[in-house]
Amino acid sequence: MSMFCFQCQETAGGTGCKVKGACGKVDTVADQQDLLVYLVKGIAFWVAEARKVGMKVDNSTRKFLATALFTTITNANFDGDSLSKYIQDAEKIRDEWRVRALGGCGSGCGCSCGGEMAALPGCAVVSLDAAGKAVSEAGVLATVNEDVRSLRELITYGVKGIAAYAHHAAELGYEDAEIYEHIVTALAATTKDLPVDELVALTLATGGCVVKTLALLDKANTITYGVPQITKVQLGVRKNPGILVSGHDLRDLEDLLEQTKGTGVDVYTHSEMLPAHYYPRLKAYDNLVGNYGGSWWHQNEDFESFNGPVLMTTNCVIPVKGSYLNRLYVTGAVGYPGALKIADRPDGQGARKDFSAIIRQAKTCPPPREIETGEIIGGFAHGQILALADKVIAAVKSGAIKRFVVMAGCDGRMKDREYFTDVAKQLPADSVILTAGCAKYRYNKLPLGDIGGIPRVLDAGQCNDSYSLAVVAIKLKEVLGLDDINKLPISYDIAWYEQKAVAVLLALLYLGVRDIRLGPTIPAFLSPNVTAVLVQKFGIKKTATAEADVQAMMAGV
């Protein structure tokens, strides 16, 4: 094998990519990402050791841990040069923390233990050979026991999701030291020979940290941009040149909107950036004009027909067609060979990224080609749904609403994801879909109607806004006087793709949600024994056929 990666849902053969990633990454990039994760775990190990002698993790290390992990998420960074820089920085930071933890020992490798400490996790000196391959046992297969490997990877992927969401919150000025403490604790634990029961407990603790992180990001977004409002978003285009923004980072979008005011350049959202239209402070910009295209995997067609420059603020970027590479801009954790890079914003309150280059290019481009018309409605985060609580509760008590089905999560390319469209079409007219994430694009443009004025698809927002759906469920439990969240008329039919979706799944398990359907496949990184534990303890089940699952969910099974 020239590589091995099984962290996403589309991994080759449902077992693992061994030559080239299904996402498009080449083997050298896969090796670099493995090496970077290995080094980040080394940092965590030595920070945890340093904590024993009273040291605290500094802000720069916190930021690096979150951003470095974020850049290894599926479809975030394909750029070997960018990853090499992260690797170099990681080695430096790891060695600094090793010296702090050991009190300084010095022998040329950064700590000088004379080899005595070389057996410690994270201590091995690693590098890249001329081909860019990791000269170390940094890959996931270095853990031989498949059950231990499975749990270590489940924890690591949950932490990657935490890192991504913590990164977004930090960009808005919101941080919680306990979140970073858990990142360190969890990553350090994956370097140790812990028994399976301790790893299972740490997996659930990671789910608890996901809940804390999502709550922090929700607070950051709503305080900064206002409580999301029910909003109709236009799908057509105007006559002005435009810039298309994809990804998840609302602050990047705000910076761009501020700098395009009065320039004659319109700004459109794509994929997971759609929910930006729901926030009062962002929707107040008259140059934020609509949403263009579908979910992330349609970007080759969407970006080509858009005509103007495209800004990728986070994952999910896919292998780029040469026809638009010269107008593709990346920023933050995103990297792609040949793409134009927008530098990080300078330190300082109120500092903005400089988008002058992308605006200049936009002015030279023709307007977007219209690919659809009409509108879609969203903005049903917990604030808005709870504002409608009396109406929703009345509909439940009267029987007008028989069932809520949470169909949140990720979209993807595989044909079997048509299952989620089929479920939406086959759900009876007295059911309501609660959604968040790009999975919504499988059904958010279907004419599913409403129930007494309540739309049958309630879109809470981005994948991180899955937190809103948990808040709604907890509130409904209280209002209906139930003692268990699983007694609600709610079924969970979750589409997963990458590590942020894994984090959300862990959050739901931590909150005690049972009988979640997960599809279109069970994660390849889960061993049979770990899968059996999840089935027994939480009732997790793989999606079946749309017809069978609709029948079961409407029966509360």
Side-chain angles (χ1 to χ4, degrees):
M1 292 183 294
S2 58
M3 61 172 283
F4 185 82
C5 181
F6 57 3
Q7 69 176 3
C8 86
Q9 189 274 321
E10 292 183 355
T11 194
T15 57
C17 294
K18 301 175 183 179
V19 178
K20 183 179 181 180
C23 63
K25 67 183 175 185
V26 296
D27 57 348
T28 52
V29 166
D31 287 338
Q32 287 176 300
Q33 291 183 350
D34 284 346
L35 179 53
L36 181 55
V37 172
Y38 175 87
L39 289 166
V40 165
K41 288 184 176 183
I43 294 170
F45 174 84
W46 289 111
V47 169
E49 291 297 301
R51 287 192 310 202
K52 295 177 183 178
V53 293
M55 296 185 186
K56 294 184 179 180
V57 62
D58 57 275
N59 285 336
S60 62
T61 302
R62 289 176 177 177
K63 182 177 180 180
F64 181 82
L65 287 172
T67 307
L69 285 171
F70 196 175
T71 203
T72 68
I73 281 180
T74 302
N75 286 358
N77 198 320
F78 295 81
D79 185 5
D81 290 341
S82 170
L83 291 167
S84 290
K85 179 62 167 61
Y86 278 107
I87 288 167
Q88 292 165 9
D89 290 344
E91 286 189 295
K92 181 175 181 289
I93 294 169
R94 180 204 58 185
D95 291 345
E96 288 172 351
W97 277 100
R98 180 169 51 195
V99 170
R100 293 174 194 174
L102 297 176
C105 45
S107 90
C109 76
C111 77
S112 170
C113 61
E116 294 179 6
M117 309 300 292
L120 286 177
C123 190
V125 177
V126 292
S127 61
L128 297 178
D129 65 15
K133 291 185 176 296
V135 186
S136 67
E137 300 238 345
V140 297
L141 296 181
T143 301
V144 177
N145 184 299
E146 69 170 347
D147 295 331
V148 173
R149 180 198 310 149
S150 179
L151 289 168
R152 284 178 175 176
E153 292 308 297
L154 185 56
I155 292 165
T156 299
Y157 299 156
V159 170
K160 284 190 181 187
I162 291 170
Y165 295 134
H167 172 89
H168 288 311
E171 287 295 290
L172 296 174
Y174 290 80
E175 295 185 276
D176 184 334
E178 290 184 2
I179 292 171
Y180 296 100
E181 290 295 316
H182 181 82
I183 289 175
V184 168
T185 299
L187 291 178
T190 65
T191 70
K192 302 173 183 178
D193 291 325
L194 298 180
V196 167
D197 59 342
E198 287 189 34
L199 291 172
V200 171
L202 185 58
T203 301
L204 284 181
T206 298
C209 188
V210 176
V211 174
K212 180 187 291 287
T213 309
L214 292 177
L216 179 68
L217 180 54
D218 179 78
K219 177 181 178 181
N221 286 340
T222 53
I223 290 179
T224 305
Y225 300 116
V227 176
Q229 300 172 341
I230 299 172
T231 304
K232 292 180 178 179
V233 182
Q234 296 301 310
L235 300 178
V237 300
R238 301 200 305 197
K239 300 295 185 183
N240 298 329
I243 297 171
L244 186 60
V245 185
S246 195
H248 306 74
D249 198 292
L250 297 180
R251 188 173 177 191
D252 284 346
L253 177 64
E254 180 193 17
D255 285 358
L256 180 64
L257 288 170
E258 187 65 29
Q259 292 171 51
T260 51
K261 283 194 307 185
T263 64
V265 174
D266 290 336
V267 176
Y268 296 79
T269 57
H270 179 265
S271 191
E272 280 277 70
M273 199 58 82
L274 163 65
H277 294 271
Y278 312 154
Y279 289 93
R281 182 170 163 182
L282 295 176
K283 66 188 291 187
Y285 287 93
D286 59 9
N287 49 329
L288 180 64
V289 300
N291 192 70
Y292 191 90
S295 62
W296 62 271
W297 64 276
H298 296 280
Q299 63 191 250
N300 272 338
E301 295 79 18
D302 293 344
F303 291 2
E304 190 164 40
S305 64
F306 185 75
N307 293 329
V310 177
L311 174 65
M312 289 297 307
T313 64
T314 65
N315 65 314
C316 304
V317 64
I318 67 172
V320 174
K321 279 187 176 181
S323 57
Y324 64 81
L325 181 58
N326 66 345
R327 50 185 173 87
L328 177 68
Y329 292 75
V330 297
T331 191
V334 193
Y336 196 88
L340 302 156
K341 181 74 174 178
I342 300 293
D344 290 339
R345 59 181 57 83
D347 292 333
Q349 188 173 7
R352 298 189 184 277
K353 291 185 179 179
D354 181 3
F355 289 114
S356 56
I358 193 171
I359 296 170
R360 281 196 303 272
Q361 185 176 24
K363 292 178 179 180
T364 70
C365 297
R369 178 167 63 84
E370 190 161 80
I371 56 176
E372 60 185 334
T373 58
E375 60 187 21
I376 47 179
I377 189 170
F380 294 94
H382 58 89
Q384 285 293 284
I385 294 181
L386 295 181
L388 297 171
D390 291 344
K391 191 173 186 178
V392 172
I393 295 298
V396 171
K397 289 183 175 179
S398 70
I401 295 178
K402 291 283 199 311
R403 198 86 189 160
F404 296 95
V405 178
V406 176
M407 285 211 297
C410 311
D411 195 12
R413 291 165 284 216
M414 290 186 173
K415 184 175 176 58
D416 52 8
R417 286 182 181 269
E418 293 176 4
Y419 158 91
F420 295 100
T421 304
D422 293 338
V423 167
K425 290 178 177 178
Q426 293 180 34
L427 281 169
D430 55 5
S431 62
V432 171
I433 297 171
L434 303 174
T435 191
C438 62
K440 68 166 103 5
Y441 283 99
R442 286 286 171 177
Y443 42 80
N444 67 342
K445 298 173 186 178
L446 296 176
L448 297 179
D450 62 80
I451 300 174
I454 301 171
R456 289 194 55 229
V457 176
L458 300 181
D459 175 22
Q462 296 180 344
C463 55
N464 53 280
D465 293 310
S466 299
Y467 171 77
S468 274
L469 305 181
V471 171
V472 168
I474 292 169
K475 187 64 177 179
L476 284 175
K477 177 177 76 74
E478 294 173 359
V479 171
L480 293 173
L482 302 174
D483 60 359
D484 185 348
I485 197 171
N486 294 295
K487 292 181 180 179
L488 286 166
I490 299 179
S491 297
Y492 294 81
D493 199 15
I494 306 297
W496 82 282
Y497 179 76
E498 42 90 308
Q499 297 80 69
K500 288 186 289 182
V502 172
V504 171
L505 174 65
L506 294 183
L508 292 174
L509 298 183
Y510 173 80
L511 291 171
V513 176
R514 290 187 51 83
D515 300 321
I516 297 170
R517 284 176 169 80
L518 189 64
T521 60
I522 294 295
F525 56 82
L526 293 181
S527 68
N529 288 334
V530 171
T531 300
V533 169
L534 294 176
V535 170
Q536 179 181 11
K537 187 174 180 62
F538 299 102
I540 285 182
K541 59 197 78 174
K542 182 187 175 299
T543 53
T545 66
E547 183 178 12
D549 284 350
V550 167
Q551 184 177 356
M553 288 187 290
M554 293 306 296
V557 179

